[in-house]
Structures are given as C-alpha cells and as structure tokens.
Amino acid sequence: MILNCMLAMQYGGTEKVFVDQLKMLPMAGVAVVGVSRPGGEATVRAHDAGLPCEELKFLTEWDPITAARARAIVEKHNPALILCHGLRAHKVFADAVGHTRPIVAMTHKPGFHKDLPSELFITVAEHRRQFLIERGVPPDKVVVIPNGVPIPREYKTNYAIEAERPVKIAAVGRLHEKKGFDVLIEAARLLTMQGLRVKCTIQGEGPLRPQLEQQIAEANLQDRIALPGWSDNLKDLLLESDVFAFPSFQEDFPLVVLEAMSFALPIAASAIDGPKDFLRNGDTALLVPPHDPQALADALARLIGDQALRERLGKAARADVSKNYSFEAISHRLADTLNIVIERWKAK
C-alpha cells in the first residue's frame, strides 16, 4: 500500500492528478490511500467519489505538530512508499519519516527541493525532467510519467457544420494570463472580420476575467464569445463543439487537451513545451506559434473550412490518447515505477 499525499487547498491540474491517481492505481493492483487537507477541494472530491483519503490538519511545512500528525497517519497505514505531490507535501513527510521508508516526489511546478529525502522524482513532461536535471537532480533519479484521462464511451462522430449555425469553438482553462485567452479572443475577432460566424465558449474562472470581458466588449463580440465560468462538466461542451482551441503560453502536460483528444475533437494548439510532447502537427492537431492571434485564426479557419481534416485529426487524436494516455495505460506505468522503487528499497 502507498500513501498519496497532496496539501494544497485550491483545485487545479495538480490536485486533479492527485485525485485521478487515487482512481488509477487500484486499476494496476496497487492499494492507495490519499492524504490531503480538511476542507480542500481535492479532499471533498475524493470523499464524494468514495476514495480512501485521510485528512491532515496542516500548520506549516516544518512545525512539529504537523509532522507528528503526518507521522501518525504513516504509522496507521504502514505504507510501503509515500508519493508526495509538490514541495509542501514533500517537506512535511520528509520531516515526518526521514529515511525510514521510500519517498517519491512528484513535481508539477518549478518549486522542488533536490536534497530532501527522495528515491525518485516523477514529472509529467520531458521539458520538466530536463529542468530538474539542470538544477542538480541526477538523471537516473528523474522519470517522466504523463497525465492520464478516462476515455469516454461517447465521443464526437459527426464533423459536419451546418450552414445555418455558427461554428462552435471550445476552450477551457483558468482565466490567467499564461493561458492566452486574449490571443483567442483576438483570433475570434479576426475570424469574424473574414466573414466567419463563430461562437467561442471559454469555460473557466480566474483573475483575468475583467480584462477579458473588457476586450470582448471593445471588440463588440459579446454575442460571439461567452465566459460561462468553471464547470466540471466538460462532456457537453466538448461533444457540442466543432473545434478546440488551446492558446496557452506555458504548460507542463495539460489535461484539458488530453480530454479534448479523448472526445475526438479537432485541436488547434500553441506549439509550446507540454503540448508538443504529445501532439503531432498535422497528425493529431494543428500547432501554431504562441502569442500569435493571426496564426491561431489561420489554423482555426483551416479546420473550419475542411471537414475531412477535422475528422482525420479528431479520430487520430482519440486513437492516440486511448492507446497511450488512458487511465489504464498510465496506471500501469505509474504502478510499475513505484513497485521498482519499493523493491530497490527492500534490497538495500
């Protein structure tokens, strides 16, 4: 059995990966118990899904009370390995157990500590692996295991765009500067200027909402671009849309693109680290330079104007994600890696 630990309160990509792993690892025969903070969104979701998850009351990374609480959870479950998501969880459990059992650190962001007790670092993308190595982690202590997604039974099969309705463009993500939604709004304006009828839905919430709303109003696109806020239900949006746009400037291994692929939706995405790790230009998506509204508009116009291209890219994307990035595929990769660490630890 392993402990899967994450101590953030908000809910984003890292926290979703944590909850997903509680679902995935049993698929590969690995018993797992989560550890997260009371009242955190990931904790709520884990409990709602009936997933085993302990609550750790957290004060600071280094205080003895938090360490004692973490130590009590470890003693209760006696795990063969502790998997920590992020620097905060790594610090707490390293202080709690030291070198008494193997710790694996899963790094999702630049913040990490190479000198804390850790048998292995796992990251989701090759560019992040190189980042860790450049900052002093030995290459043999870093492995890449990408994110995984459940493969839906229902997916896009009709790629026709009826002449009487606008083209539906979907985008999903936090309303944050690095997501590039201002670029998508400008691309939508350019498409409108070309005479194309588009309806763009950007599903998400975040601090950039006022600026994006102002940009939409200044471009007189209130009836063309919607910001409905965040929803966990991506299924309806992705099934009802014609194309998916991903204009981000900075990513690790974006889950939302994998989800769009799983629904067989044709994609136009920024050619940046992360998407470039798994999207193949002209095969499973169209890749464009970031920060370039015209390039994004051109790619979207190309998809809009070519039903055969939309269908070919969408089907190829679903086939690729089903083979390589499904819960089943990633669960076995992760389980195999963790079991190797456990066996090496026992052999010491």
Side-chain angles (χ1 to χ4, degrees):
M1 192 277 289
I2 72 165
L3 284 183
N4 189 23
C5 309
M6 189 282 307
L7 299 178
M9 288 295 287
Q10 73 278 9
Y11 193 79
T14 298
E15 295 72 39
K16 187 176 188 307
V17 170
F18 162 78
V19 176
D20 284 349
Q21 287 178 349
L22 297 180
K23 300 174 183 177
M24 285 193 293
L25 282 167
M27 295 179 180
V30 175
V32 58
V33 173
V35 180
S36 55
R37 294 171 67 179
E41 184 65 23
T43 309
V44 173
R45 291 173 186 245
H47 290 325
D48 287 347
L51 301 170
C53 188
E54 294 274 4
E55 296 186 7
L56 173 61
K57 292 183 179 179
F58 173 86
L59 298 177
T60 68
E61 286 93 340
W62 297 113
D63 76 274
I65 295 176
T66 299
R69 290 169 177 165
R71 193 174 301 114
I73 292 174
V74 173
E75 291 173 355
K76 174 182 176 180
H77 293 281
N78 191 28
L81 179 145
I82 299 174
L83 177 62
C84 297
H85 292 259
L87 181 57
R88 180 178 292 156
H90 193 181
K91 286 180 177 178
V92 167
F93 281 89
D95 190 39
V97 304
H99 295 275
T100 63
R101 64 191 69 224
I103 294 176
V104 171
M106 189 144 193
T107 61
H108 301 269
K109 298 178 180 179
F112 75 102
H113 200 309
K114 67 182 179 67
D115 296 322
L116 287 172
S118 180
E119 297 300 303
L120 188 70
F121 289 85
I122 297 176
T123 188
V124 296
E126 179 58 30
H127 71 276
R128 183 64 68 198
R129 175 179 177 271
Q130 293 300 323
F131 174 87
L132 267 65
I133 292 171
E134 290 168 2
R135 282 152 183 79
V137 179
D140 62 350
K141 289 191 67 173
V142 190
V143 300
V144 174
I145 300 179
N147 295 328
V149 292
I151 306 302
R153 294 183 179 180
E154 188 178 4
Y155 57 95
K156 190 171 187 64
T157 57
N158 180 11
Y159 292 88
I161 300 176
E162 297 80 7
E164 65 274 10
R165 68 166 176 84
V167 178
K168 297 178 182 178
I169 301 171
V172 178
R174 189 163 183 259
L175 304 185
H176 186 279
E177 181 179 359
K178 72 176 184 179
K179 295 298 183 179
F181 292 131
D182 56 333
V183 174
L184 176 57
I185 291 169
E186 176 60 14
R189 187 187 71 82
L190 294 172
L191 292 172
T192 302
M193 290 179 62
Q194 296 176 29
L196 293 172
R197 295 177 61 219
V198 299
K199 178 67 174 180
C200 181
T201 300
I202 304 173
Q203 186 166 295
E205 195 53 78
L208 207 64
R209 173 178 284 276
Q211 295 94 314
L212 297 179
E213 289 177 336
Q214 181 179 354
Q215 183 183 1
I216 292 168
E218 289 175 352
N220 197 28
L221 293 174
Q222 296 93 325
D223 61 340
R224 298 294 183 186
I225 301 176
L227 302 177
W230 180 251
S231 171
D232 283 334
N233 180 18
L234 294 184
K235 176 182 176 181
D236 292 343
L237 174 67
L238 297 179
L239 283 175
E240 294 171 0
S241 297
D242 299 300
V243 297
F244 185 83
F246 190 75
S248 188
F249 308 154
Q250 178 187 340
E251 294 290 337
D252 273 352
F253 202 93
L255 276 167
V256 69
V257 179
L258 293 179
E259 290 176 299
M261 294 171 72
S262 74
F263 280 92
L265 196 59
I267 297 166
S270 297
I272 59 173
D273 287 335
K276 288 196 303 182
D277 287 354
F278 60 96
L279 292 175
R280 300 187 300 277
N281 188 36
D283 183 8
T284 58
L286 297 183
L287 298 179
V288 301
H291 304 279
D292 191 335
Q294 187 63 63
L296 180 59
D298 290 346
L300 291 170
R302 183 181 170 194
L303 289 173
I304 292 167
D306 191 336
Q307 179 175 336
L309 177 63
R310 294 196 302 275
E311 183 169 0
R312 178 173 65 80
L313 293 180
K315 289 182 175 180
R318 178 174 165 87
D320 187 46
V321 78
S322 298
K323 178 181 178 182
N324 297 308
Y325 305 107
S326 67
F327 268 10
E328 290 77 8
I330 298 304
S331 70
H332 285 282
R333 288 182 62 175
L334 179 59
D336 289 348
T337 298
L338 298 180
N339 283 329
I340 288 172
V341 173
I342 292 169
E343 292 305 314
R344 287 178 178 172
W345 181 269
K346 291 178 179 178
K348 285 185 175 182

